[in-house]
Amino acid sequence: MSPLLPTKDIPARDLWPLKEGRKILTDIEDKELQLIKINQGSWLVSVENQWQMRSLRHNFNYNGNQIRQQFSNIVQTQQKISNYISTERCFAVTENEEGEWRLWQIVKRQKTLNSLIEKAYIQQDLKKIAAVLFITLNKFSSAHKIFSALDTQLPLALDNLAIKDNDVIFTGFIPTLNEAIIPTIEKCIQLAFQKNINKLSTNPLIKHSMIAYYLNVHASKNKTDQILVNTLLKLFK
């Protein structure tokens, strides 16, 4: 059975932030929704590629007090890390007629680091591709340094990081279970960039040696940049 989704008429105590959350849910109300079952008990809702909602298995319970505690916890977490995350988001609690409680996160989609790389690939300009890879690599490294020091370990990926006012921000869902630990920067680069590098490597029109050359040119004046580029270039092999 499909879960009960939050609407603009949700009680005030079950929505945060109230004013912005009410505006978000009003905006979503008339849009086409695609409900995706992630696994047993976990759901993702895509809203016309503009917004997305998520509620995981551990965000579901027949005990409303436990879900309200999760709600309180994630609000506190959001307030602590507000300087590092996108602002267009809200949290909501729903209860259906069967007494099933759920915590939902609603987040607006952003132009992420991954979308910047995808756009560069389409143009097939080797200098441009190398420049974008170098920029996203540095922004990703900055995010790793900042987010590794936070109490809440945010999952780092190219599709949940964006650039705002030249700073990198997190645009994904905030973990409601703080069990993950961010790996080393080398491991994070491998996990984040491997898919893009594989796509690059299978394109016969793109010369990998030239991408490597331009990347090394960008990194030639900074030892830290060279280490990052060397880590990235290992993925070409």
Side-chain angles (χ1 to χ4, degrees), residues 46-70:
S46 179
V47 187
E48 294 185 359
N49 291 321
Q50 297 177 23
W51 295 87
Q52 51 186 349
M53 293 189 279
R54 191 180 76 172
S55 178
L56 300 180
R57 183 186 307 172
H58 62 267
N59 302 137
F60 164 84
N61 206 298
Y62 285 96
N63 186 329
N65 291 332
Q66 292 190 18
I67 298 302
R68 290 198 185 283
Q69 184 60 55
Q70 286 190 24

Side-chain angles (χ1 to χ4, degrees), residues 11-116:
R13 68 172 183 170
D14 294 331
L15 181 63
W16 192 91
L18 181 58
K19 182 178 178 181
E20 294 83 352
R22 196 79 76 191
K23 184 177 183 298
I24 289 171
L25 293 176
T26 299
D27 180 52
I28 289 175
E29 186 177 48
D30 296 327
K31 299 187 184 300
E32 183 177 348
L33 306 179
Q34 181 183 7
L35 192 62
I36 304 166
K37 189 173 184 179
I38 303 173
N39 55 43
Q40 189 64 39
S42 299
W43 297 87
L44 177 69
V45 183
S46 179
V47 187
E48 294 185 359
N49 291 321
Q50 297 177 23
W51 295 87
Q52 51 186 349
M53 293 189 279
R54 191 180 76 172
S55 178
L56 300 180
R57 183 186 307 172
H58 62 267
N59 302 137
F60 164 84
N61 206 298
Y62 285 96
N63 186 329
N65 291 332
Q66 292 190 18
I67 298 302
R68 290 198 185 283
Q69 184 60 55
Q70 286 190 24
F71 178 72
S72 175
N73 291 343
I74 199 169
V75 167
Q76 293 179 40
T77 297
Q78 193 274 351
Q79 292 174 323
K80 290 179 182 178
I81 62 176
S82 60
N83 291 335
Y84 311 107
I85 65 175
S86 57
T87 57
E88 296 175 290
R89 62 175 70 229
C90 66
F91 313 104
V93 171
T94 59
E95 180 194 12
N96 66 13
E97 294 180 353
E98 285 72 37
E100 298 174 346
W101 294 76
R102 274 191 179 276
L103 170 65
W104 291 92
Q105 291 191 57
I106 302 95
V107 180
K108 189 169 186 179
R109 295 180 183 273
Q110 308 285 338
K111 291 184 178 180
T112 63
L113 297 184
N114 190 63
S115 64
L116 295 178

Side-chain angles (χ1 to χ4, degrees), residues 173-224:
F173 296 107
I174 298 173
T176 46
L177 284 179
N178 196 18
E179 297 179 345
I181 298 177
I182 297 178
T184 63
I185 182 59
E186 291 80 11
K187 184 64 175 178
C188 280
I189 289 173
Q190 178 184 351
L191 294 172
F193 284 84
Q194 186 67 74
K195 183 178 179 180
N196 283 288
I197 298 304
N198 288 345
K199 185 175 181 180
L200 186 69
S201 299
T202 57
N203 189 333
L205 300 178
I206 298 178
K207 295 182 180 180
H208 314 149
S209 59
M210 293 305 298
I211 297 294
Y213 170 76
Y214 291 128
L215 281 169
N216 281 314
V217 169
H218 285 296
S220 60
K221 296 181 180 180
N222 186 291
K223 184 177 179 180
T224 300

